[in-house]
Amino acid sequence: MSVRKLTTIAFIAALYASLTYVFAPLSYNYIQFRISEMLTVLPYITPLAVPGLFIGAIISNIGSPLGIYDVIFGGLASLIAAWLTSKMPNRWLAPLPPVIVNAVIVGTVLGAIANLPGLTVPLAMLWVGVGELAVCYLLGIPFLYLMERYQHVIPGLNKRK
C-alpha cells in the first residue's frame, strides 16, 4: 500500500475521532447526534474510507461510557456500514447503511448494556436511528456533494466508477 493511501486512511480516522471528541456531549448519549458520522458517506467515493472510518470509530469509542462494548460493537458497526456504503448505487442511498447498521447494532448495545431507566432495546434503536438519519442526510449529503465536486484536488480520493 502506498504512503498516499495510508495517509488518506489515517487522515479519515483522525478526522472522525477528532470530530467525535470535539462534539463529545452529542456523541455519547443514547440520543446520539454524532457529527463525525457525516463522514460515513466517504466510502461511496473511495474504498480508503472503509478502514479509515473503522479505525476512527475504534479510537473515538475508547472514550465512550460503554467502554469495551462500544469499542468492539461500535467499531464493527462502522466497518459493516462503511463496506455497505461503498456498494451503494447512488449518493442518495449512500447514507442509508450507517443509519440502519448503527440503529441496530449500537441501539442494541445501548439498550442492553446502558442500564438507563426506561430505555429498551427498540427505543434505543429508534433514538440512535433518528440521530443517524439526521446527521447522515442533513450533513452527510451536502458533504458528499462537496467531496464529489472537489475530489480532483484532494489527494487519495478516487473517482467512483
Side-chain angles (χ1 to χ4, degrees):
M1 187 173 283
S2 72
V3 172
R4 176 177 271 182
K5 288 180 180 179
L6 284 173
T7 303
T8 301
I9 291 167
F11 178 76
I12 292 169
L15 185 59
Y16 183 94
S18 297
L19 285 171
T20 303
Y21 287 138
V22 166
F23 296 102
L26 300 172
S27 299
Y28 295 110
N29 293 317
Y30 64 93
I31 302 176
Q32 295 185 2
F33 194 79
R34 195 177 269 202
I35 303 297
S36 54
E37 286 291 302
M38 76 176 182
L39 301 176
T40 61
V41 296
L42 284 175
Y44 179 75
I45 297 174
T46 177
L48 298 175
V50 175
L53 292 169
F54 174 60
I55 294 165
I58 288 172
I59 292 168
S60 63
N61 287 339
I62 290 172
S64 168
L66 296 179
I68 192 69
Y69 295 109
D70 209 6
V71 172
I72 294 169
F73 293 107
L76 182 62
S78 292
L79 180 61
I80 293 167
W83 181 79
L84 289 171
T85 298
S86 73
K87 305 299 181 196
M88 289 292 104
N90 65 60
R91 76 175 56 88
W92 293 103
L93 293 176
L96 200 55
V99 172
I100 294 169
V101 171
N102 282 306
V104 171
I105 295 176
V106 175
T108 300
V109 171
L110 277 171
I113 297 170
N115 204 15
L116 296 169
L119 184 65
T120 62
V121 170
L123 187 58
M125 292 167 78
L126 175 68
W127 284 123
V128 171
V130 167
E132 282 288 315
L133 188 67
V135 172
C136 291
Y137 276 93
L138 296 178
L139 298 178
I141 290 290
F143 178 70
L144 181 58
Y145 272 107
L146 185 68
M147 292 296 98
E148 286 180 320
R149 182 174 177 147
Y150 294 104
Q151 68 183 352
H152 62 282
V153 296
I154 302 171
L157 288 185
N158 306 325
K159 224 168 183 36
R160 184 171 172 90
K161 296 180 181 178

